[in-house]
Structures are given as structure tokens and as C-alpha cells.
């Protein structure tokens, strides 16, 4: 891929100063980071320090396994690919395998990393890792967290493509995962 950053862009960079933790939660730490631009402008910026996340696209021949769950932020149900937090000390691939089995009761015979990106680089310092799970084998058992309630379902690929961005499929990171999936399939000729 072409490098879009040039020497002229150096003036866009900022140097970090002191960081203070304002609030620690189970999900993330809210911090205030003092930063100074290359042109001398400085200020305090709010950054959320969160663990990395994984999203797993469980693919059968013409279907995806999806999960339905309550999302507190929007106070609504959401249809999504399985996923979750990468535990401290855990590799993203191991987290993807764990989350797939916990939320769908399936193991992947083949797990392919499609990519990673920053979910919101303006506010978060973490990354989300996208995986494709193929050759699924059912264990028949979900292993959900104490406060995790999920209904698993199998939908045609077309239903998921058509659903992304609707009221029932509101999670923006799912459309990002789908973009990684489409790019992978295009490059693999499948």
C-alpha cells in the first residue's frame, strides 16, 4: 500500500505529557492527557484506556452465526457477530477462539485474522481484531459470563449484508468487520 504520510505531516504530530487517571471502571480507565502540538498549542485531552476487543465472523457455507444481546448504551437489542474483550495477557487469536465458543457453542477448525484497527482513535487507545471462523464444530454448550444473556441464530449472508446499519443491526463495528470479510473474499477469489 502507498504511504500517505509525508515529511510535511510532521507538523501535525503532538507530544504527550503527563497523564492522569480520572476514573477507573471495569470497562476502561478515563484519563486526561496533556499534549503539545508541534506548533506549540497545548491542552488536556480525554482518552479512554480500554483492553483490545475481538470480533469473530463465524461462517458456514451460505450463512453466518450471529448473536442477539442487550446493549446498555442504546437500551436496545442488537444482532451482532460474536466478540468481546481480550483478557489481560491473552493473545487476540486465543480471545477470538474463546469468545466464539462461549457465545455460539462452536469451535473453529480454521481461524483467519482479517485485520485490526482502532475503533475510535479520537477517544480510545485500544484496537479491535477481526477474525473469520470457518469449519465450525458445535460443542452444544454456551459458556456465558454471569451478566451475559445471548440468543444465537444462523442467518443467510444476504440477510446480514442487508441488515447492517438497520435498527436491528446497529453496531458500527459489525459493518467494519463485514468490510474486512468482503475484502478478504475479493482477494481470495471466493
Amino acid at each position: 500500500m502507498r504511504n500517505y504520510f509525508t515529511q510535511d505531516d510532521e507538523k501535525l504530530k503532538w507530544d504527550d505529557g503527563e497523564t492522569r487517571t480520572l476514573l477507573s471502571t471495569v470497562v476502561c480507565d478515563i484519563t486526561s492527557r496533556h499534549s503539545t502540538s508541534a506548533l506549540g498549542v497545548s491542552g488536556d485531552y480525554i482518552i479512554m484506556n480500554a483492553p483490545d476487543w475481538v470480533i469473530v465472523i463465524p461462517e458456514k457455507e451460505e450463512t453466518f452465526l450471529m448473536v442477539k444481546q442487550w446493549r446498555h448504551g442504546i437500551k436496545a437489542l442488537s444482532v451482532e457477530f460474536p466478540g468481546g474483550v481480550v483478557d489481560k495477557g491473552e493473545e487476540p487469536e486465543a480471545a477470538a477462539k474463546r469468545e466464539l465458543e462461549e457465545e455460539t457453542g462452536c469451535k473453529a477448525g480454521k481461524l483467519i485474522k482479517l485485520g485490526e484497527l482502532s475503533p475510535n482513535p479520537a477517544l480510545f487507545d485500544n484496537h479491535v481484531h477481526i477474525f473469520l471462523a470457518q469449519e465450525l464444530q458445535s460443542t452444544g454448550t454456551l459458556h456465558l459470563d454471569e451478566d451475559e444473556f445471548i440468543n444465537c441464530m444462523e442467518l443467510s449472508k444476504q440477510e446480514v449484508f442487508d441488515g447492517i446499519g438497520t435498527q436491528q443491526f446497529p453496531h458500527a463495528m459489525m459493518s467494519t468487520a463485514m468490510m474486512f470479510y468482503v475484502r478478504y473474499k475479493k482477494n481470495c477469489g471466493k
Side-chain angles (χ1 to χ4, degrees), residues 108-133:
K110 187 175 181 183
L111 191 67
I112 303 162
K113 185 164 186 181
L114 301 181
E116 69 181 76
L117 67 157
S118 299
N120 186 343
L123 298 173
F124 282 89
D125 69 348
N126 68 337
H127 292 87
V128 61
H129 306 266
I130 315 289
F131 291 88
L132 174 61

Side-chain angles (χ1 to χ4, degrees), residues 54-66 81-83 92-93 95-97 100 106-116 128-136 157 161 176-190:
V54 293
I55 296 173
V56 184
I57 303 172
E59 179 186 45
K60 291 192 173 183
E61 290 188 23
E62 290 303 316
T63 63
F64 294 124
L65 291 183
M66 306 295 290
F81 294 116
E93 183 175 335
K97 290 176 181 177
L100 174 67
C106 288
K107 290 185 178 189
K110 187 175 181 183
L111 191 67
I112 303 162
K113 185 164 186 181
L114 301 181
E116 69 181 76
V128 61
H129 306 266
I130 315 289
F131 291 88
L132 174 61
Q134 297 175 319
E135 301 171 10
L136 303 176
K157 290 179 181 179
F161 284 123
T176 302
M178 188 62 77
M179 185 278 303
F180 275 95
Y181 173 81
V182 168
R183 183 174 67 190
Y184 173 77
K185 288 296 185 175
K186 177 183 172 197
N187 291 338
C188 288
K190 297 176 184 177

